[in-house]
Every structure is written in structure tokens, then in C-alpha cells.
Amino acid sequence: MRRIIHLQVPEAGRDDPRKLNLFPGRALSEREFELLQAYVDDRVAPLVRLLPAGIVSGLQLQISGGGSATRLRVQPGQAVGGGGRLVRLFYPLETDWPALAEQAERDADSPLLDGIYFLTLRASVQEIDPATELQPATRREVDPLRDRRLETVIIPGLQRVSVNSRWLAMRQAEIANRVCVEFLTRSPFEATAGAVPLGLVKVVARRPEWIDAVAGRYLAEDDAAYRTLLAHTATVWQRLLRDNPRVQALLEGSSTQRPDLAELLGIPYLPAAGPLPQFLVQDPAGNPPRLVFAARDLGIDLIPVPASTVQGIIAEELPRGTIDLIHARHERIRLLLAIPDLEFRHDLLDLPPRDLELERQLFLRYNQAAHDWSDWRSQWQQLFGRLSADALRAAQAPALVAAPLAPDAYRDQLVAERRRALPDDDLPLPEPWLSHVQAPYRGQAVPPAPDLSSDGLLHQRAALQGQISALEGELAESFALLNEVGDYLGLQRQQLDALTLSFSALAGGVSGDGSGLKLMRWAQSGALTPDLTNSVQSTAGGK
């Protein structure tokens, strides 16, 4: 039996100087080792860029001392910086503030200004024990065959966030809160430097005023910026419960003035979701539940949820944004009561108790509105009463408004609509409709009825104008008749004067000069009064 062995035709391999052909006995020089490391870095870099930037594990920041004597200690850990650069710390890193400030000034090539900074870590390749420090022809180092050594070192630094003087005047919690909100829309990682933020520092006069190890710590996970805001808010809650005497007074009931949420916390923004301390809501089963803060610009709902779903709700709702507490945007928030799963029911708060105080307030508002409407309707009647439609349009009269519906009638209407909405007429009414049917709230005050019998002022004016027009017409007719009678009398007197002249001429007398006509004209405006005395004397003399 013949066996045939087929050999593959030799082919030229890829000439890649980055991948060394290592074999036993070959010396691995420093240059070749650098090529080998560069090859590994090139293969790993595409994989690292797929990871989110941030702290993977460890790198906790510990602070001791204060001012220029501040010392920082970073625990071992791993992180991914901007541009996919790896930052790996295998041993604790300790440094003091003067060295950190000098390093930051060298990196920025400028003096350290007053402002807000990120405390960062970055990886850099530097030469350790350079040959320039050694004298020629000397072998004092540990390895006499070593010419130089390159090491990947981890360097702390400062990354400027803001030098705004308005921010520098704020308190620590508010500054950190605003920084967290600022970096919700932009990345805190610089691709050129590849640094990873570990904390937040406020620098004044080249010294650290405070260092926050929570507000500037971003983890390598989705929605890291929102989780940083949530973590800082949680520290604010803890500090509030521990150090604020005002909260203790609110819990003990010795303070009756409730501040708003922004004043109570000292921060302007809250994350869209997150755990809240239990002291915010006192007596959640009360009517109504009591809040330790005044919800002036917030709409608040109280909803029970199973305790096992809380973390899922927070993870889903957290990236929605922030809750603005200072710009009066009338945000609506929901306070979720975590109920143990075995005790949770879907209708736990679906049956609200009847609020008699609210009904009393509504009835008082209705009573006031009814009185106001009655007064307005009476005034409308006094002004526009009994006018025609055309006259109302000409006077631009306001339209009539129906009387407000009484609370009892409106409540009965709502109950009837709810009853019609039930799938079966035999089903009992749910709460709170059932309580309204069994014990309705009946108010005692009855609004007065408006006076609708009087004539309006405009109608009276129109009637008077008609009467005045009729009187003016009658006067005009009377004056015309008087003028005609006067003219007729003047013609008669003229005719009498003409006859007098004619008789005078017939008798041979002297004709008149027309003074008789003038006398007739005067007689129209004059009055003749007989002298009875002379008449009596003449009669007596005659006898």
C-alpha cells in the first residue's frame, strides 16, 4: 500500500517588524522588546476602545491633612481613560499637594488658577534612570548590561472644570451638584491626555479648599454621569441627616416652618430617579401624608411599588435627566413607597379616603362665586336690562354667563356618570363615590337671586330720548300754527287800514301816510288796557 504525502508549496510570510520571530537562544534586546510591546498594544487597543471610559475597579481616593499639608492616597485599581487608554495601578499611589500642584502647572504650562478641577490619573511612558545621570565608563546600576529602561508610570494631575467666580462663591454641595449636572451633556474624559477623573477639587490661592471624592468619580458603565449625580445626592442626604439641626427640628416637630426642597438640601438639582430618605414623608397613610418640605413648585404623587422593582425603576428612569428645584418649572415627581412583595397589592392606594375639609373649602368657594355672579347679573340687568338684540350688539354688552353649578348638583352628576360607566348596574359604587351617595355634603348657605325685573339704564335712556323727540315735534307743530295765525291777523289789519284810507279820500280828507300800517305792526306785540275811570266820568257828565 502506497502512502502519498502532499507537501504545501512554501509561501513568503508577511514582513511585519512588530511581530518578532522568537526562538530559543535568541537575545531579546531592548528595541525588540519595545516592538513586542507595541505589537501587543496595537492588538489590545481596538478592544479597549469598545469599553466605556471610567473606573473599572478600585482607585479609591483617601485624603488626609488640609491646605498645603494635604496628602492623597489612591488605592490600586484599573480604569479606561479617554481615547481607550488603560490606566492600571498595581500599588498604592501616594502624593502630597505641592507636588501635585507643580505637576499640574507643568502639564498646563501656566500657573494654577483659582477654580474647580478634576483630580485625575493618567498613564505615561517615561524613561527611568536615564543614562545622562551616569558618568561614562561607570557601572553603578544594578544591571550593568542595562543602558536605559522605559516604564509605564501613573501620574496624578488636575483637569480644569471652571474658573467662574460665581461658582467659586457657592457652597461645596452646590458646586459639586452643578458640576455633575454640567457633565451630563458632555464627557469628563479628555481623549488627548487619556486621564481618568477620581474626585473634585476647589483650589484657592494654589491650595485645596476642599476635595470631594464622590462628585468627580465616574465609573466605567452606562449612564456613568447620571450615577455620579445620584451618588453625590446620596452623600448630601447623609450629611443632611447627620449635621443639619434644622432637619432634627423638623423630625421632632419643634419647627413648624417647612422649607422648600432646594433650601433644605442646598443643591439646585436632583437626579430623575433614586432612593430618598424615609423622613421626607411622615405618616404616608395619613390624610393627607405630611411632607417635611414645602412643595411650592412641585407636583407630587405617592405611589406604592413592590420592593423588588425599585432598583429596576431607578435604572430605567435615571437617564431621563434632572429635577429642577430653583427655576419654577413645575416639575412632577412620584414618591414610590417600597412595599414588601408579600404585602403589596395593586389597589393599595386606589381607594382614597374622603376629604371633608376639601369639600368644605369647595363649598365656600362656590358660595363666594355664586354671590359674585348674582351681583354681576344684577349690575348687568341695571345697565343692559330689556334691551333688544340689536341694541345689545350696538352697546357691545358682555354675553350672559350661566350661574355656577352647585357642588351638590355637580357631585350628583359625577356619581351618575360613574354609575353609567360600570359594566353592570348591580355592581356597587366604588369609593369615593359611594361615600358621597351615602353621606352627601349639604351646605346651608344659599346665594341670593339676582333682580331681573328692573329696566336697564340704557333702556331708560332710549325711552327718554323717544319722549324728548316726540315733545320736540309737538312744539315745532305749535310754533308753525302760531306763525300762521299771526300772519293771518296781519293781513286783516292791513286790509282794514286800506279801507280807512279809501274812506278818507272819498270824504275829501287827507290821505293817510301809512302810519296805520305801522300801528297794526305794533299792535301785534303790544297790549291795550282800557281806562275804566275816564269812561265812568264821561258817562256821568253826559247825564
Side-chain angles (χ1 to χ4, degrees):
M1 181 177 180
R2 296 173 55 188
R3 295 182 178 179
I4 301 176
I5 301 176
H6 297 278
L7 300 178
Q8 186 177 1
V9 179
E11 296 180 0
R14 182 169 58 91
D15 186 11
D16 190 353
R18 295 178 301 172
K19 186 176 182 180
L20 301 179
N21 183 19
L22 301 177
F23 54 86
R26 176 176 179 175
L28 187 63
S29 64
E30 184 176 357
R31 175 59 182 164
E32 292 174 340
F33 181 75
E34 291 178 2
L35 291 176
L36 183 61
Q37 292 298 316
Y39 171 76
V40 174
D41 292 341
D42 291 343
R43 295 294 299 272
V44 174
L47 301 178
V48 175
R49 290 191 180 95
L50 299 178
L51 300 176
I55 299 174
V56 178
S57 63
L59 300 182
Q60 289 85 7
L61 179 63
Q62 298 177 357
I63 308 162
S64 60
S68 300
T70 302
R71 295 194 60 83
L72 305 174
R73 179 183 177 91
V74 182
Q75 297 297 327
Q78 299 178 357
V80 179
R85 298 187 181 184
L86 291 176
V87 177
R88 294 177 293 178
L89 187 63
F90 298 99
Y91 303 99
L93 174 64
E94 294 186 4
T95 184
D96 56 1
W97 178 257
L100 179 60
E102 293 175 1
Q103 180 65 40
E105 291 177 344
R106 286 195 300 268
D107 294 340
D109 195 16
S110 63
L112 190 61
L113 303 177
D114 294 350
I116 311 300
Y117 295 84
F118 279 135
L119 176 63
T120 62
L121 284 184
R122 61 185 176 90
S124 176
V125 178
Q126 295 186 1
E127 185 175 358
I128 306 300
D129 296 335
T132 56
E133 297 179 359
L134 302 178
Q135 298 295 328
T138 58
R139 294 291 185 269
R140 297 179 181 176
E141 62 271 13
V142 179
D143 186 1
L145 299 179
R146 183 186 64 190
D147 294 333
R148 65 185 181 124
R149 189 178 70 184
L150 297 178
E151 292 287 348
T152 300
V153 296
I154 304 300
I155 303 175
L158 296 176
Q159 176 181 327
R160 184 184 300 174
V161 175
S162 176
V163 292
N164 190 344
S165 59
R166 186 173 63 88
W167 278 28
L168 293 176
M170 298 178 183
R171 293 175 297 180
Q172 175 182 348
E174 186 173 0
I175 294 175
N177 181 260
R178 290 182 179 273
V179 170
C180 291
V181 174
E182 176 72 18
F183 284 94
L184 292 179
T185 55
R186 61 190 182 101
S187 175
F189 303 95
E190 291 184 354
T192 56
V196 179
L198 299 181
L200 197 64
V201 186
K202 179 182 178 181
V203 178
V204 176
R206 209 172 174 271
R207 296 180 180 181
E209 185 172 311
W210 51 260
I211 301 177
D212 195 327
V214 178
R217 182 179 176 87
Y218 293 88
L219 301 180
E221 57 186 15
D222 296 333
D223 305 325
Y226 293 96
R227 295 193 175 275
T228 300
L229 175 61
L230 177 60
H232 175 261
T233 306
T235 60
V236 172
W237 286 118
Q238 296 173 2
R239 193 180 304 113
L240 185 68
L241 289 173
R242 184 177 63 251
D243 303 332
N244 197 328
R246 189 172 188 179
V247 175
Q248 301 297 330
L250 290 173
L251 294 179
E252 296 172 358
S254 57
S255 177
T256 57
Q257 296 182 352
R258 296 183 302 164
D260 58 11
L261 201 52
E263 181 183 358
L264 181 64
L265 295 177
I267 56 177
Y269 299 96
L270 287 178
L276 297 179
Q278 296 181 0
F279 79 91
L280 284 182
V281 182
Q282 297 181 353
D283 189 17
N287 183 20
R290 181 178 178 273
L291 302 176
V292 298
F293 62 91
R296 293 186 177 90
D297 301 313
L298 295 176
I300 300 178
D301 299 331
L302 190 63
I303 300 177
V305 296
S308 59
T309 63
V310 171
Q311 295 301 326
I313 294 175
I314 293 177
E316 182 179 357
E317 300 293 332
L318 184 60
R320 294 184 61 179
T322 59
I323 300 174
D324 194 335
L325 302 179
I326 60 174
H327 294 106
R329 295 184 177 179
H330 305 288
E331 303 273 7
R332 295 193 61 87
I333 62 177
R334 289 181 174 179
L335 299 181
L336 307 181
L337 294 177
I339 308 298
D341 294 356
L342 297 179
E343 301 177 4
F344 175 77
R345 293 184 292 109
H346 291 283
D347 58 349
L348 192 61
L349 294 181
D350 290 349
L351 305 177
R354 186 177 178 183
D355 193 349
L356 297 179
E357 179 62 22
L358 177 60
E359 293 186 15
R360 189 184 69 84
Q361 293 292 337
L362 291 176
F363 179 78
L364 293 178
R365 293 294 181 91
Y366 158 74
N367 195 24
Q368 182 64 37
H371 279 78
D372 295 342
W373 176 86
S374 179
D375 296 340
W376 174 84
R377 186 64 179 87
S378 299
Q379 294 177 6
W380 191 96
Q381 186 68 23
Q382 293 175 3
L383 185 60
F384 303 104
R386 297 189 180 182
L387 283 180
S388 62
D390 296 336
L392 288 175
R393 285 193 295 269
Q396 297 181 354
L400 289 176
V401 180
L405 189 63
D408 297 335
Y410 184 70
R411 186 184 300 109
D412 296 340
Q413 180 180 349
L414 293 179
V415 172
E417 292 178 357
R418 179 57 179 168
R419 189 183 298 277
R420 288 194 298 268
L422 294 176
D424 192 353
D425 296 339
D426 298 334
L427 293 176
L429 282 172
E431 292 290 348
W433 291 273
L434 183 61
S435 297
H436 290 306
V437 174
Q438 294 177 351
Y441 183 87
R442 303 297 182 183
Q444 301 297 329
V446 178
D451 183 14
L452 305 180
S453 60
S454 61
D455 293 338
L457 294 178
L458 295 179
H459 183 271
Q460 296 177 14
R461 186 184 69 174
L464 291 175
Q465 288 177 349
Q467 295 176 5
I468 292 173
S469 299
L471 291 175
E472 290 177 350
E474 294 177 358
L475 289 174
E477 293 179 359
S478 301
F479 283 126
L481 182 58
L482 290 174
N483 291 332
E484 291 178 359
V485 173
D487 294 341
Y488 178 71
L489 293 175
L491 290 175
Q492 286 184 342
R493 289 174 178 142
Q494 289 179 5
Q495 185 179 7
L496 180 60
D497 190 50
L499 292 174
T500 304
L501 291 175
S502 298
F503 279 112
S504 298
L506 182 62
V510 181
S511 59
D513 55 357
S515 59
L517 295 176
K518 184 183 298 184
L519 180 62
M520 291 301 168
R521 288 194 295 272
W522 290 348
Q524 293 182 1
S525 59
L528 299 178
T529 304
D531 189 357
L532 300 179
T533 305
N534 295 333
S535 299
V536 173
Q537 291 178 357
S538 298
T539 303
K543 289 181 179 181

